[in-house]
Amino acid sequence: SAPDLQVSGTLHGADGATVRVPPGFVDLARQVICHRSGERFGLLYRLLWRIAHGERALLEICTDPEVRRVVRMAQSVRRDGHKMKAFVRFRQVAGVAPEQFVAWFEPEHHVVDAVAPFFQARFAGMRWSILTPERSVHWDGAALSFAAGARRESAPTDDALDDLWRTYYGHIFNPARLKVQAMRAEMPVRYWHNLPEARAIRPLVRAARQRTGDMIEAAPSPAPHKAAKWVPLARPCAPTGGEHPADRLRAELAACERCALHRVATQAVPGEGPPQARLMLIGEQPGDEEDLRGRPFVGPAGRLLDELMAESGIVRERTYLTNAVKHFRFQPRGKRRMHQRPDGGHIEHCRWWLEHELALVRPEVVVALGATAAQALLRHAVRMADLRGRPLPYGPAALIVTWHPSYLLRLREPAQRAEARAGLLADLRTARVLLDQDHRRPVGDLRAAEPPRCA
Ligand code: URA
């Protein structure tokens, strides 16, 4: 007799005998019982007999022919259940109130009972029936009921929803991504005759090559408003319609959502200084004060930098100051916002802005303050000890990598701080001297880095 599968792990036979089985067997049997094959009960019984007679780990032996066979049967049943969920198409019964929907479906296996709860949950507010050749299921808004099979003619064949399905399918069909084999595997031909959208498939496939060619030929369509923010500025270096590109860059940066930092920072902090500056100083990211005021280097690190620039003969007003990352990254601690280093992703996303600034200003000397700025420029993580203070070629400019002023502020040991200060000051002086020289002569011994250029 068919075992009672309600009890997981213990099967009760009709004669009162019980057999302990691994729980996996019960799940497997539940699925295999739905298989169309007439040998399903015999196969399951053989497995049960073998398990009961000592082969406790039988289901783990995937090379066993009987195990293999039932596992395949279970797979096929599961797949059929998925297909039923995906390919049932309801049609409205004409002239019936309240509304009633009926679908015709031809499952491969006996999956109607197992899949019905899915439709109950999905279309709880609708009155519907799914008719199949062997079994029907009905939902009246309150309860499921099952009945005998039906004939195809009992289900409506065409309604306004069919056109909607075809329109939908036409829209999601991407001719440039056409893979007929994969499509057939996903949507096997045996289900097509019940799918309203199937009628659209052949014409769409036939026209795919032509449509792909047309798409390549056609001019790109304008990006939607939100995406338009990320379209690179057409010519950031050239004035457009009277608006200075630096102003345009600022305006676009203000709307930057390239990474998640914009969600927590007060604002994007743009670079500051004359667009024709010969010297560009690049920091890491705005700090707490910069974030609130919207200007770079106006907090404690900025004040130290001002002091050092003055000592080295650099005039701030003639220098372009900016950051590798334009939004403040922090961690809240009580009422305070503690600086957090930007990660590689933030640097990568923000390089887009930095490169536009470099292309716009075209500085002759670039000073990277700290490892983040150096990483943004050189596109790889750097060790300060390897690069600090040695002028490097950077496209047509000279690059100097030096300490970040915040690093000095963090040093507790006076001797260490004095040493770092002297190093930073010396590097700024080098930048100052380079501006006075023809630095375009080869400098350093590194390969020239890729120069930033306008799009
Ligand atoms: N640190 C930076 O790197 N940049 C600023 O603007 C302020 C502090």
Side-chain angles (χ1 to χ4, degrees):
S1 61
D4 167 11
L5 294 180
Q6 302 306 315
V7 186
S8 163
T10 305
L11 300 186
H12 300 270
D15 55 1
T18 58
V19 182
R20 287 206 61 79
V21 290
F25 179 82
V26 178
D27 286 338
L28 191 68
R30 274 207 185 98
Q31 292 166 19
V32 174
I33 280 171
C34 299
H35 199 277
R36 170 163 304 279
S37 162
E39 59 168 345
R40 63 191 187 281
F41 286 116
L43 256 175
L44 284 173
Y45 189 78
R46 272 204 296 282
L47 287 188
L48 181 58
W49 195 91
R50 289 174 63 186
I51 291 169
H53 287 81
E55 293 183 67
R56 300 283 308 164
L58 177 60
L59 296 185
E60 286 158 35
I61 307 173
C62 50
T63 50
D64 183 281
E66 286 177 343
V67 172
R68 251 201 356 239
R69 174 94 183 96
V70 290
V71 166
R72 290 244 171 87
M73 287 165 85
Q75 272 169 354
S76 176
V77 167
R78 283 201 301 274
R79 184 176 151 83
D80 197 37
H82 288 311
K83 295 298 173 207
M84 181 167 171
K85 290 176 191 171
F87 296 145
V88 156
R89 299 284 181 264
F90 288 106
R91 287 166 174 128
Q92 191 167 3
V93 182
V96 175
E99 287 180 330
Q100 167 107 34
F101 294 85
V102 176
W104 171 254
F105 190 72
E106 291 164 54
E108 195 177 345
H109 303 295
H110 308 290
V111 292
V112 173
D113 293 57
V115 177
F118 165 84
F119 287 99
Q120 175 190 347
R122 184 81 181 267
F123 301 107
M126 221 166 90
R127 285 171 11 133
W128 53 260
S129 300
I130 301 174
L131 310 183
T132 83
E134 287 167 354
R135 189 112 165 113
S136 305
V137 53
H138 309 278
W139 170 252
D140 60 6
L144 282 177
S145 57
F146 294 88
R151 295 168 62 85
R152 187 175 191 168
E153 301 79 69
S154 311
T157 44
D158 222 0
D159 72 359
L161 283 179
D162 285 17
D163 282 339
L164 263 185
W165 275 111
R166 282 188 280 274
T167 306
Y168 166 72
Y169 190 79
H171 279 89
I172 60 162
F173 181 89
N174 182 348
R177 290 264 173 93
L178 177 63
K179 290 201 175 79
V180 176
Q181 207 114 324
M183 199 173 90
R184 276 173 188 269
E186 258 316 292
M187 197 194 245
V189 175
R190 64 178 294 272
Y191 297 106
W192 285 23
H193 66 283
N194 290 321
L195 295 173
E197 66 268 38
R199 241 197 277 160
I201 296 176
R202 286 203 172 94
L204 284 168
V205 170
R206 246 181 267 126
R209 188 187 290 259
Q210 173 73 37
R211 282 182 61 201
T212 308
D214 293 349
M215 277 158 60
I216 292 166
E217 291 282 302
S221 51
H225 173 68
K226 190 165 162 44
K229 279 186 254 171
W230 315 129
V231 174
L233 305 174
R235 281 185 198 287
C237 305
T240 47
E243 184 191 30
H244 195 285
D247 296 333
R248 192 163 159 224
L249 196 63
R250 280 177 85 91
E252 298 212 5
L253 176 65
C256 181
E257 293 176 4
R258 290 176 79 85
C259 74
L261 293 183
H262 76 276
R263 297 208 193 103
V264 286
T266 309
Q267 57 193 312
V269 177
E272 186 178 273
Q276 69 282 8
R278 296 175 62 208
L279 174 63
M280 182 185 279
L281 262 53
I282 305 172
E284 181 191 79
Q285 63 167 353
D288 186 69
E289 274 190 63
E290 287 82 6
D291 168 79
L292 296 173
R293 292 175 56 188
R295 292 185 54 206
F297 287 107
V298 289
R303 286 188 283 278
L304 176 56
L305 184 64
D306 281 348
E307 187 184 306
L308 291 164
M309 281 200 291
E311 270 183 59
S312 56
I314 293 173
V315 180
R316 178 167 173 144
E317 290 68 31
R318 283 200 229 135
T319 306
Y320 191 93
L321 287 172
T322 192
N323 284 298
V325 172
K326 311 298 187 205
H327 281 109
F328 179 33
R329 186 178 192 215
F330 62 90
Q331 229 170 11
R333 195 169 302 157
K335 288 191 179 159
R336 299 185 64 199
R337 303 189 300 169
M338 306 307 289
H339 163 273
Q340 214 187 348
R341 231 180 133 170
D343 66 24
H346 302 128
I347 298 171
E348 193 58 37
H349 281 101
C350 246
R351 196 196 342 263
W352 195 85
W353 297 112
L354 186 59
E355 289 187 350
H356 276 80
E357 285 177 298
L358 285 160
L360 182 75
V361 177
R362 294 173 177 270
E364 293 165 37
V365 178
V366 177
V367 176
L369 298 165
T372 299
Q375 179 175 343
L377 292 167
L378 298 172
R379 297 175 174 242
H380 58 79
V382 301
R383 270 170 30 110
M384 291 297 288
D386 295 341
L387 297 186
R388 214 218 90 226
R390 277 191 296 130
L392 312 169
Y394 191 73
L399 168 64
I400 298 174
V401 176
T402 187
W403 300 123
H404 191 288
S406 297
Y407 168 67
L408 274 56
L409 296 176
R410 283 198 303 272
L411 290 173
R412 293 272 151 257
E413 174 61 43
Q416 265 188 353
R417 185 191 274 216
E419 192 186 342
R421 188 184 192 282
L424 175 50
L425 184 59
D427 297 340
L428 290 175
R429 283 194 173 127
T430 305
R432 174 79 186 81
V433 169
L434 281 173
L435 283 176
D436 295 338
Q437 290 176 356
D438 179 11
H439 60 79
R440 273 167 245 249
R441 276 176 294 137
V443 279
D445 52 5
L446 293 187
R447 266 190 313 122
E450 186 64 25
R453 275 293 145 251
C454 300

